[in-house]
Amino acid sequence: MAQWERDERLARAFLELADTLKDGFYLVDFLHVLTDHMIALLDVSAIGVVMIDAQGRLVDVTASTHTAHQLEEAQIEFDEGPCKDSCARHEQVGPVDLSEPASVVRWPRFTKAARKAGFGGVAALPLRLREEVIGAVNVLHVRADGLHPAALRLGQALADAATIGILHQRLSHDQAERVGQLQTALNSRIVIEQAKGALGARLNIPPDTAFERLRAHARSNRMSLTKLCQQVIEGRVAIETFGAPPGRHHP
């Protein structure tokens, strides 16, 4: 990415992360904006986002890839990992070299799962505003030395901007709507997973490819990913819109 492209992308990232009072705000879509910008600007392999629910539990909200999504679910199931530590400590965790014995001692099951998924390094950035932490961002790289301090500082700035945007949006709603926001996000995640599965099965493509095609279509048509996935499930969008199955060509 050329420097002018990077500068333009950076400006657009902070502008979009501040724009949370528009009509039709969807938390999952907003967090996909965050993960897209982080992937592009931090030069990392994958991003995952977990948030804290009303009972203080971590919930997996979104991820940039199917593999990262599975790892986020494993982290919550194992009750160990960088995001859990980041939320508890209100601070950045890592970067951690997952090949080092210390990471195995610290997070034995998470480390094994992350390495099996092909990741060599991980860090977690809190979604925080002063003393309030609403979740954390998992930053993953296939190389153990791929997470640079400058990139993580930028990542924290983006995470801080996203947190301010989310909290600002919450303040404009009553308490019941605030509690419901995360549940709506989890419902959206289910819709996205269903659409991803349907698209993958119909086109005979991997989940990550299906996910990327859905996101690309939503971006290019300036529409909500959640709404697009709902339309796919309901059959209101032709599967062929997203390409032909491998080995089949359009006339």
Side-chain angles (χ1 to χ4, degrees), residues 31-32 34-36 38-39 42 44-51 59-73 75-76 82-84 86-87 110 119 121-127 135-141 155 159 189 211 215:
L31 292 173
H32 277 303
L34 174 64
T35 61
D36 282 348
M38 281 191 162
I39 291 291
L42 307 189
V44 296
S45 303
I47 297 287
V49 182
V50 300
M51 297 192 73
V59 292
D60 168 37
V61 180
T62 192
S64 62
T65 69
H66 182 70
T67 302
H69 172 68
Q70 290 180 313
L71 188 58
E72 293 305 309
E73 289 184 328
Q75 180 175 197
I76 292 169
C83 281
K84 182 177 186 298
S86 181
C87 288
F110 172 82
F119 298 114
V122 65
L125 309 172
L127 291 165
V137 178
N138 227 19
V139 184
L140 297 148
H141 206 290
R189 190 193 71 186
F211 188 38
R215 294 210 301 173

Side-chain angles (χ1 to χ4, degrees), residues 29 32 36 211-229 241-242:
D29 290 342
H32 277 303
D36 282 348
F211 188 38
E212 185 51 44
R213 290 189 187 181
L214 287 164
R215 294 210 301 173
H217 186 81
R219 282 196 299 267
S220 63
N221 289 276
R222 296 183 177 274
M223 67 183 300
S224 159
L225 176 63
T226 302
K227 285 186 176 180
L228 172 63
C229 290
T241 301
F242 304 96

Side-chain angles (χ1 to χ4, degrees), residues 8 12 20 42 74 92 99 118 150 152 171 174 176 191 230 248:
E8 185 178 84
R12 182 156 55 91
T20 56
L42 307 189
Q92 176 181 322
S99 66
L152 292 177
L171 286 173
D174 61 31
V191 169
Q230 187 65 50
R248 193 175 83 190

